Amino acid sequence: MISRNTPMDPYDLVVFGATGDLAQRKIFPALFRRFCAGQIPDEARLIGAARSNIGNVAFRERLSDALKEHAPRRAADPSSLTAFLARVKYVSVDASGNKGWEALSGLLTEPRVRAFYFSVGPRLFGDLARRIHEYGLASPLTRIVVEKPFGNDLQSAEQLNATLAAYFKERQIYRIDHYLGKETVQNLMAVRFGNMLFEPLWNSQYVDHIQITVAETVGVGGRGAYYDRAGAMRDMMQNHLMQLLCLIAMEPPAKFDPDAVRDEKLKVIRALDPVAPHHIVRGQYFAAAGDPEPDYRTAVDQPRSSTESYIALKAHISNWRWAGTPFYLRTGKRLVARSSVINVMFKDAPHSIFGEEAGRHANLLSIRLQPNEGITLHVTIKEPGPGGMRLVDVPLDMSFAEALGPEGGDPPDAYERLIMDVIRGNQTLFMRGDEVEAAWAWTDPIIAGWESRGDVPKPYDSGSTGPGDADLLMRRDDRRWQGINP
Ligand code: BG6
C-alpha cells in the first residue's frame, strides 16, 4: 500500500509568528516534509512573518537548525534542506502596527489560494485579520488558520469568533485541533463507519462503558505560565478529549464532508449532561523519589498553584444511543507512560450456558491512538486442554504498522495533513465556531464550580497512573481503568 499525494495548485502560505516555538517545531518541519513529498509546487510561496528585525539569511539559518532538530531524517539530505530553505522568504511585520505590510503585499500579487497561519497569541488575531483586509490581501480564496487555545471560556471564545467573523466567513476560518489531524484519530471514523461489524453494537444496549485515556510522560516543559492558567481541563479535555469523545459517540454523518461531520459532533457536545462534582478528580504531580524533574509547582514557578495537571471525569450523553452508558475520560502529565487509548467495554453475555464457574469475560475493543497504533478486540474462547469447559479472554491484536507493512509508509504528522487540507479548502478536520463554543459551554460550569468551592487537586507521584481517587471514581461503579501501557 503506497501513500498517495494529490498534486496541488500553486498557493501562498504566510506564517505569522514564524520565529516562535510552534512554527519552528511543527509548522515549518511539516512544510519541509510536504516539500520532500512533492506537494509544494515551484510556484507556491512560503513566507515567514514575525516582528523580529532579521532578514532572509538569518531566518533561514534559524530555520535550518529547527529542521535538523525536528525533521532530522529529511534534513539529513543537504540538497533537500538547501532547496527548501531557498523557497522560504522572511518579512518583518508588526501585527499591531503598519510596519512590513507593504512589503508583504508586494509578495502576494497573484489571485490564488492564500493562507495566513496565525501562529501567534489570540490577542493578535483581531489585529492580523484587520490588517489583512486593510492591505487588500483578502479575497474569497483567502483562508486563515488559528491555533488553540481558542479562548479560555465561552465568553472569550464568542468574542474571538465575533472578531474573526467581522473579516472572514466561517468557511475561510480553520480552527486547528491537532488531534483531528492524527492518522489514527481519523481511523476512528474508518473503523466505525467503514465496517459493518461494530456499528450495530455501538450503543447503550451493548456497550457497558467507554474509557478515553490520553496519558503523557512529559511535564509542562517551558510553557509553565500558559499551563498554570489553563490546567488539564482547558489544555486537553475541552478540546482533544472532547473531539475524541465526539468521534466515538457521534451518529454516522450522511457523508464525509465538513458540515455533515461537524453537525454530528456538535450534537454530541450539546447532549452532554453537566458533570457532578463527585464525578471529577483533579490531580497535580509531585516528583517521585529519585525523579530528576521538579514538582508541578516548581515547574510552573507557582509554589501555591491549585491548577490541575491531571483530570478524570465521568460524562453522560443524554440521547437515544448513549443514555445509560458512562464515558470515563482522563488525561494527565508526568504519568507512567505515553499512551492514548479508547477502550470500548461491552456488556457481559446475558446468560452463560457454561455455568458461572466457567468464567465470564466481557468483550473489549481497544483502539490505540498513540504510540503503537492499532486495534485489539478481546474475545472469549475455551481454555485449551482436557477437563471442564473453562473460558479465557484472548486478544485479537492488530497493529496498523504491521498490517500495512513497510510500504504503508510513515504516517504524516498531524500538521502536514492539516496544512494541506487548508490549501485544499477542506474543513472536515477543523473545528467550527459553534463546536468550540458548545465545548466551552460544557466546560465553564465545571471550572466555575472548582473556583467557587476552592477545590484543590489531589497530589500524585510522577511516573504513576494518577491520583488514587481516579481509581475510586471507577470502583464506586464496580469498574476499573484499563492499565496505562506504553
Ligand atoms: C497540546 C497541549 O495541545 O497537546 C500539550 O497543549 C500536550 O499540553 C499536547 O502536551 C499533546 O499532543 P500530542 O500530539 O503529543 O499527544
Side-chain angles (χ1 to χ4, degrees), residues 277-430:
H278 63 287
H279 289 161
I280 305 176
V281 177
R282 297 166 74 216
Q284 193 183 73
Y285 65 82
F286 283 79
D291 185 342
E293 287 207 30
D295 293 342
Y296 172 82
R297 290 177 175 183
T298 311
V300 300
D301 201 16
Q302 293 294 333
R304 297 161 64 86
S305 170
S306 59
T307 300
E308 76 288 349
S309 57
Y310 174 101
I311 183 164
L313 58 81
K314 176 160 92 162
H316 283 282
I317 301 173
S318 280
N319 64 16
W320 270 52
R321 189 189 281 262
W322 292 118
T325 295
F327 288 74
Y328 298 90
L329 278 56
R330 65 177 164 167
T331 182
K333 295 210 178 281
R334 299 290 289 126
L335 295 178
V336 60
R338 175 172 186 255
S339 170
S340 300
V341 184
I342 299 177
N343 286 308
V344 182
M345 315 289 301
F346 289 91
K347 291 188 171 170
D348 280 341
H351 163 71
S352 172
I353 65 167
F354 309 107
E356 291 306 324
E357 60 286 1
R360 271 192 197 223
H361 304 276
N363 298 121
L364 156 64
L365 177 68
S366 251
I367 307 170
R368 293 187 306 278
L369 304 176
Q370 61 184 27
N372 306 324
E373 296 82 350
I375 53 179
T376 305
L377 180 63
H378 289 257
V379 292
T380 298
I381 61 163
K382 177 188 171 299
E383 191 177 88
M389 184 68 143
R390 285 182 305 274
L391 303 180
V392 284
D393 168 70
V394 290
L396 271 177
D397 208 347
M398 185 177 78
S399 136
F400 292 152
E402 277 170 31
L404 298 176
E407 283 151 22
D410 288 345
D413 176 76
Y415 280 87
E416 292 177 58
R417 174 181 310 277
L418 294 175
I419 295 170
M420 290 301 119
D421 277 359
V422 172
I423 304 296
R424 286 188 201 100
N426 183 349
Q427 287 185 308
T428 311
L429 300 176
F430 295 83

Side-chain angles (χ1 to χ4, degrees), residues 148 178-179 182 216 223 235-236 240 333 338 370:
K148 74 171 261 259
H178 80 281
Y179 265 56
K182 289 183 190 270
E216 298 187 277
R223 302 153 71 226
D235 184 52
M236 296 291 287
H240 304 325
K333 295 210 178 281
R338 175 172 186 255
Q370 61 184 27

Side-chain angles (χ1 to χ4, degrees), residues 32 35-36 74 77-85:
F32 179 39
F35 172 78
C36 296
R74 301 298 195 315
D77 172 9
S79 58
S80 307
L81 182 61
T82 313
F84 177 73
L85 291 172

